[in-house]
Amino acid sequence: MSATTSPSAALYTASATASGREGRAVSTDGRLDVTLAAPTELGGSGAGTNPEQLFAAGYAACFASALGVVARRAKVSGFDASVTADVSLHPTEAGGFSLAVALEVELPDGFDEATGRDLVEQAHAVCPYSDATRGNIPVELSIA
């Protein structure tokens, strides 16, 4: 078994229930409680959030956290980058749908781009979202 699928004790488990694209998503602790609505681009009302937005927010936050971890491990100070995740929904030939992600990392002002690129690559290797998507959907990394 690989390290990502070992039966070790979970550090944390989040749980939420959703009722579809038009409805509601609620975490078991009540801290997340959002109205869901398909975006207008997909013929929906756009009157709520959608799974792609939730995935983008989660991936951006997780990747930013992973950047902080690898920066601390590398003893790089002053690294407070922000991450924007664009999650795109695409039709498949089989009539289903697939996702693609573009992550853009904005480095702190004056930060060395080569060091930043190295940290981004390291973060991509340790981020749980990156690990979950690796080999499943395209993920593009860029630095602003």
Side-chain angles (χ1 to χ4, degrees):
M1 253 186 201
S2 74
T4 57
T5 59
S6 68
S8 62
L11 297 174
Y12 172 73
T13 300
S15 181
T17 302
S19 57
R21 278 195 177 270
E22 300 289 336
R24 193 169 153 220
V26 181
S27 63
T28 54
D29 64 6
R31 291 192 175 139
L32 176 77
D33 187 344
V34 295
T35 299
L36 300 173
T40 56
E41 296 86 347
L42 297 179
S45 69
T49 192
N50 60 65
E52 293 76 29
Q53 289 173 329
L54 293 169
F55 188 71
Y59 203 159
C62 190
F63 200 85
S65 177
L67 278 167
V69 167
V70 298
R72 283 189 297 282
R73 287 179 182 168
K75 298 185 183 344
V76 174
S77 62
F79 191 74
D80 186 24
S82 66
V83 178
T84 300
D86 293 328
V87 174
S88 302
L89 183 67
H90 300 269
T92 64
E93 290 180 10
F97 301 93
S98 67
L99 297 174
V101 176
L103 296 174
E104 181 179 80
V105 178
E106 186 174 336
L107 298 177
D109 287 340
F111 198 83
D112 177 61
E113 187 173 338
T115 301
R117 187 163 305 283
D118 185 49
L119 292 173
V120 166
E121 291 296 331
Q122 289 179 51
H124 193 46
V126 302
C127 174
Y129 275 66
S130 292
D131 192 46
T133 59
R134 196 174 335 284
N136 296 312
I137 64 172
V139 176
E140 176 188 321
L141 303 173
S142 66
I143 294 179

